[in-house]
Amino acid sequence: GASAFAPASIRTAASSRRASTSLDATIAVIGASGLTASECVYQSLKEGDTVVGLTRSGKVAIPKGSGGSDADKLLTDDNLTVIAGDVTNPADVAKVFEGRDIDGVIVALGGKTADVGETMLTDGTANVINSMKDKGVKRLAVVTSIGAGDSESQAPFFFKILMMTAMKKIFNDKNNQEKVVQDSGLDWCIVR
């Protein structure tokens, strides 16, 4: 499961000794159809967690990384709810949290800037954070990229050139997204 998202009542020394790794958590995955996010969905379901995903298409495929011969088939599971929506629309994001006790959120947004806009990451993440605060959800993990935020010096030289040229708009958005997360007051983790 996703131990960072375990409800406080489950995060005890005794529970960490259980044979199962499932934490019976309910995890929201924003951008659930993407490569990284679909892997998060798949692994969480395999561990017995409940997942609520938000995607533009309303569908999540079995990931190539773990799905084997089932990769790219539609992912269906009794513990999976997929909501079609736009992360930049606060009402769509709010649907993820309606009537559910979400233990934690994974934001793994992507897409070409030309398709999703220059501020989708920042605006969408801000909407998620606002919905989390409205519902009292505290745990947030956000997938960005090497080179974003204070990791710029860790990026390989040629990647830095791309970051300053062809990928400049997306990295501006990623940097702003990270700032929104860091300023959120939530228990957050940025994954690069």
Side-chain angles (χ1 to χ4, degrees):
S3 62
F5 298 137
S9 62
I10 296 177
R11 288 180 35 201
T12 65
S15 68
S16 66
R17 292 189 293 270
R18 294 184 309 180
S20 171
T21 58
S22 175
L23 298 169
D24 297 321
T26 300
I27 302 166
V29 180
I30 311 299
S33 61
L35 295 175
T36 302
S38 64
E39 191 68 48
C40 293
V41 170
Y42 186 75
Q43 294 299 326
S44 295
L45 291 170
K46 273 181 62 175
E47 293 296 328
D49 295 319
T50 300
V51 178
V52 181
L54 178 68
T55 71
R56 287 176 287 201
S57 68
K59 299 175 186 169
V60 176
I62 296 172
K64 293 179 173 128
S66 297
S69 62
D70 288 332
D72 293 328
K73 292 180 184 173
L74 186 63
L75 180 55
T76 58
D77 190 286
D78 290 343
N79 288 332
L80 174 63
T81 301
V82 182
I83 298 167
D86 181 344
V87 72
T88 63
N89 180 341
D92 288 349
V93 174
K95 291 176 190 174
V96 172
F97 299 88
E98 287 174 4
R100 298 177 183 88
D101 289 327
I102 303 290
D103 297 302
V105 178
I106 298 170
V107 174
L109 298 169
K112 296 178 180 154
T113 302
D115 296 336
V116 298
E118 293 182 19
T119 61
M120 182 272 294
L121 301 174
T122 305
D123 298 342
T125 302
N127 288 337
V128 171
I129 290 168
N130 288 336
S131 283
M132 290 176 70
K133 288 179 175 180
D134 286 347
K135 296 296 183 176
V137 180
K138 303 279 185 217
R139 296 178 180 104
L140 173 64
V142 179
V143 179
T144 64
S145 173
I146 189 69
D150 62 5
S151 73
E152 182 179 354
S153 64
Q154 299 170 9
F157 175 74
F158 289 109
F159 192 70
K160 286 181 188 176
I161 292 172
L162 285 174
M163 288 167 42
M164 292 181 235
T165 56
M167 298 175 74
K168 185 174 184 163
K169 289 179 182 176
I170 190 72
F171 271 89
N172 283 339
D173 197 12
K174 286 181 182 294
N175 290 333
N176 291 332
Q177 176 191 31
E178 287 196 9
K179 177 121 177 63
V180 166
V181 170
Q182 293 166 346
D183 293 344
S184 70
L186 299 173
D187 296 334
W188 55 266
C189 173
I190 292 174
V191 182
R192 297 180 178 133

